[in-house]
Amino acid sequence: MSTDLVLQKVETLLAGFAKGTAKPEPNRLDLNIDASDLIAAITALRGARWGYLAALTGVDLGKEANQIEALYHLCEGDAIATLRVRVPRAGGAVPSVYALHPNSMFFERELMEMFGVTVTGLADTSHLFLPDGWPDGMYPLLKDTDVKAAAARTMGSEPPEMGRQGDRFIVPIGPQHPALKEPGHFEFAVDGELVTGATVRLGYVHRGIERACEQQNYTQNLYLTERVCGICSHSHANAYVNGVEQLAKVLAPPRAQAIRQLVACLERIHSHFLWLGVAAYEAGFETLLMYSWRDREVVMDVLEQMTGNRVNYSASVLGGVKYDVTAAHAAAIRRAMDTIEERATHYLHVVTTDTSFLARAQGIGVTSTEEADALGLLGPTLRAAGVTRDVRVDAPYGSYQQFPVTASVDSAGDLAARFKVRMLETLESVRVIRAILDGLPEGDLTVKFPRKIPAGETISRFEAPRGELFYYIKSNGTDKPERVKIRTPSICNWIYVLTKAVGSQMADVPPLLAGIDPCFSCNDRMIVVNRHGGDRRIWTREDLRRHASTQTRR
Amino acid sequence: MRALFNLLFFPGGLFLIVLALAYEWVDRKLLARFQNRIGPRWFQTVADIVKLLVKEEITPATAHPILFGVLPVVAMAGALTAALYVPLLGFRPAFSFKGDLIVTLYLLSLLTMSIGMAGWNSTSRFTMMGATRALTQLFSYEAPFMLALLGPAIVAQSWQISEIVAANQGPWLLLTQPFGFVVALIGLMGKLEMPPFDAPKAKTEIVAGALTEYSGRGLGLFHLGKEMELVVGLTLIAALYMGGIANPLEFFGKTLLLLVILSTLHAILTRLRIDQTVGLWWRYGAVAVLLQWLALIAWKGIVA
Amino acid sequence: MKFGTMLIDVWQSFFTKPVTQRYPFERLEAPDQYRGKLVWTAGKCNGCCLCMKDCPANAIELITIDKKAKQFVMRYHADRCTYCAQCVQNCRLECLGMSHDQWESAALKRQDFVVNYGSEADVAHILATYGKPSAEPAATSATE
């Protein structure tokens, strides 16, 4: 079904609700909807099984317009339908769509705390990213918020309650915990070994990236978006570059696009090997961690040779790439691919046949295809449940049309399936890299790129190792973007952990957490302020010791 | 006087501590080599213990302070005392009396039970879970482990370690009682909370299990106790199942061979969940050792 | 139903050299393309400041002594630099490059990270103008 027909279906379904439609790009349809019609509109789409809720963007239209626009982006294959809901800046409200799309829980909490839009019907309205002591009425992503003023006010932080809470025995995982590579706070209510409740609190690695993007020019933002995440840094940079290139209507030369895809595939291998080690370690298989990370070094050395850094490759620039693939690089990459292929095949064999490993991975956290789709999961987590959804296949960008990728899918839906899917993806990436090296187009590396980008909006989707990365970029004709919205795949996958943790054993929770390949840094991109407000005193060793011992008896 | 020397210096006390640290080093070094790493240098284990012993001990506000301080000592005392009844280094055990096999086994369990109590006493969420798991694991492997070690006792018709060793001078018992040997060796892994049976101290789930709140001296003593238990356990199994230990060379040879086997299993297996551990032991462990016993009793009935 | 699938790896590892690199006793050379500290050659620069404009971290300051005579001093803050090489990409006269062998740049004081590139006379002139070598640089372009 062509994209036009797909979008026409939306127009027909929502004919009664849309107050106006527009087609800003061939694959996008914008519909203006009233807040009161939102639930009906989304129900109509869900009923026709059209699309999944990819992201919810809030845009501040400015003090003069005095409105905030909430954009509900739904994607089906290549087509993106955006329901645009305008609410007043002060006191605006939208209904919650949690019943229809469970992953909207995180999007809506984010909308509430960043823009001040009330979402009615939402069960949990506590802060998601902002600290508990954040001053009321201060919404970081509004254009006129003075963040420095917020920093000046002291924000205390109470340590969490210890021991029992009423009848429930709470086990905290995080913010500091050997299971977590980055801080996040999970509270699991347990009864013996059985988990009976789960909550999540994110935001410990807030860095204010979305807001910072509005204050730097497009080139500087390349490096800001790259640093959203360490292991999917190239995916972020590339998604951003694709978006800005769409806005400027400039196409990068074919060689540059192929090199971008090459680096992306290498990054995928790097990420999956890292994940393999980490997930195995969470389940207690330390040896696999050591071996997979040893083999990961092979890929990192190749990337370092080519781009100059092991992480944060900075390979893409607006209009092309910085670095070329020379014959020496190509030879080194091919050698590396031989090693990787052999090791990935071995690991695939290990994770699918080793008895003691399968005892911890098989049958853990099983989702059916319908459930995975309904929850709105993304990436390998979804593909391991039998849903073939991969942006590289559904909406190929860049050189993916020239070097296509097959999505790796498994239908078991459990943790073991996730291991298998990621190893299969690694092998697929090896194949694609070889294809690229064999067929690398000649030509320039960069093309001229304007400094000022014409006003417009664009959506750029990219398949990061963790799932679909969604970038919404709005330009205003200057050299700085108006709004950059980054929706990372990990935020959609948390719902899986919360749902599956309840009813499973405590010992299975860290592997479940690791199974979605969580990237906390990807989640937390919002404003960060010094936690201890105006207290600029540096804590000495004595201070720390005294603080720690007030919790203890001496 | 001789008793005091035995207790403090050889074969208990100081000598045992040195031996325990050496064996820990071998274990860690083997594991590192299996994982393609360099591993610790020869004095690393000594340095670790010294560091722990001089570190400040922080007692949680909600724990009973006396119990908190005494339990590590009790644990180590159990391990030290158990060493007096086994043929360390191939020499005759320092003390020997009828029934010392049972006493040794119970002293070894004393360590696990102190860990359980320490976890409960610390009243932290992680320690409570760790203590529960430690005791659950104790209940699951203890019976098969004990029965496996009593197998040679049946053959020798004595509960005294030195007599059992003396009576089994024929073919090694690991050949004639293979199930018992396997259960005993795997049971030792369970007792030491070695992976794959390290659910009680699963780092990625409950931080450090029952010992989470311990730091400094307490942790050092528990750690040392565990290592001594490793040495004693290996000696016991080598003495009972591998035809006794006649001299220091045999001691090192046999116990290190067992240690290599343990380290290899450690490296290639994933941690088991606590319910899987219990299932494994009560289904396969207990059945294996009971079959072994049936065979033994039948054999005794036919031959004797 | 396979038991111990990693046994082969484990067994082989026992007889091969560990992969650990004993840094700093063993030091591997970085590849040519490695992005280490920024290096600037004074002679070619014409003062266009494109490198400064797009630096995401305000790590470069180009101080003009005499534009016609091409007398510049570049103040490079290695502690702020993100080693992204956008400046290298922007410069049309190839004045900038990232060294591949200067990457061990730990220091105990912030001031030790500031590198002044330029001819000796120019650098001395700048330092004299600004007073102490450890003086904070002039106000940089704000990002907030």
Side-chain angles (χ1 to χ4, degrees), chain C residues 93-133:
Chain C
L93 301 167
E94 292 180 7
C95 311
L96 291 163
M98 312 253 2
S99 61
H100 76 269
D101 53 357
Q102 286 179 62
W103 44 271
E104 290 153 309
S105 48
L108 289 171
K109 294 199 295 286
R110 259 229 130 96
Q111 291 77 25
D112 293 342
F113 280 112
V114 178
V115 182
N116 292 305
Y117 286 115
S119 72
E120 301 244 341
D122 291 340
V123 173
H125 172 76
I126 292 295
L127 290 178
T129 316
Y130 279 124
K132 318 188 291 293

Side-chain angles (χ1 to χ4, degrees), chain A residues 247-510:
Chain A
L247 278 173
K249 305 217 179 355
V250 173
L251 205 59
R255 189 177 176 90
Q257 289 190 1
I259 293 178
R260 283 181 187 168
Q261 186 179 351
L262 179 68
V263 178
C265 288
L266 284 169
E267 181 184 63
R268 180 163 272 111
I269 297 177
H270 159 202
S271 171
H272 284 336
F273 266 30
L274 185 147
W275 172 84
L276 177 67
V278 169
Y281 183 64
E282 306 278 343
F285 200 178
E286 194 187 59
T287 307
L288 192 52
L289 166 74
M290 299 292 171
Y291 278 93
S292 59
W293 280 45
R294 177 197 70 178
D295 296 324
R296 185 178 143 244
E297 292 293 315
V298 170
V299 176
M300 295 185 95
D301 284 343
V302 158
L303 279 163
E304 188 186 40
Q305 237 185 331
M306 221 181 98
T307 62
N309 205 354
R310 285 154 53 94
V311 181
N312 289 346
Y313 321 119
S314 302
S316 303
V317 282
L318 294 172
V321 290
K322 272 203 200 94
Y323 307 107
D324 199 4
V325 177
T326 64
H329 293 150
I333 295 176
R334 280 187 211 275
R335 275 197 305 273
M337 287 306 108
D338 291 336
T339 316
I340 296 291
E341 190 178 26
E342 189 217 311
R343 294 309 296 172
T345 319
H346 177 59
Y347 295 136
L348 183 61
H349 176 73
V350 169
V351 300
T352 44
T353 57
D354 190 278
T355 326
S356 74
F357 183 77
L358 286 176
R360 290 304 301 277
Q362 209 166 45
I364 310 288
V366 183
T367 33
S368 64
T369 313
E370 294 78 37
E371 193 182 357
D373 191 25
L375 285 175
L377 303 181
L378 293 169
T381 314
L382 179 69
R383 293 197 278 279
V387 180
T388 313
R389 193 176 285 163
D390 187 328
V391 184
R392 296 171 296 172
V393 173
D394 297 333
Y397 41 83
S399 56
Y400 279 91
Q401 271 150 357
Q402 193 188 350
F403 304 104
V405 170
T406 341
S408 311
V409 180
D410 190 75
S411 52
D414 60 0
L415 189 60
R418 291 183 173 90
F419 276 93
K420 191 170 163 199
V421 164
R422 289 190 174 99
M423 283 298 104
L424 287 172
E425 278 191 4
T426 311
L427 290 168
E428 176 70 12
S429 296
V430 170
R431 184 192 68 74
V432 173
I433 289 173
R434 288 187 176 138
I436 296 176
L437 286 175
D438 287 336
L440 196 61
E442 294 300 319
D444 295 326
L445 289 180
T446 55
V447 81
K448 192 145 168 53
F449 204 83
R451 268 211 170 255
K452 293 200 164 77
I453 311 287
E457 278 181 354
T458 189
I459 289 176
S460 161
R461 293 157 73 199
F462 194 95
E463 185 75 16
R466 273 149 201 79
E468 175 190 316
L469 198 51
F470 189 98
Y471 266 67
Y472 164 88
I473 307 177
K474 185 173 178 185
S475 55
N476 54 13
T478 64
D479 63 345
K480 298 188 165 66
E482 170 83 10
R483 172 90 168 97
V484 175
K485 159 78 182 170
I486 307 172
R487 196 278 288 133
T488 55
S490 296
I491 201 171
C492 294
N493 289 336
W494 289 124
I495 193 86
Y496 166 79
V497 174
L498 295 180
T499 327
K500 291 296 156 187
V502 177
S504 63
Q505 302 254 342
M506 186 64 213
D508 285 328
V509 166

Side-chain angles (χ1 to χ4, degrees), chain B residues 45-68:
Chain B
T45 49
V46 177
D48 286 341
I49 288 293
V50 168
K51 178 205 80 172
L52 281 176
L53 289 175
V54 304
K55 245 174 107 161
E56 174 187 5
E57 176 89 53
I58 298 181
T59 319
T62 43
H64 193 284
I66 298 181
L67 208 55
F68 194 83

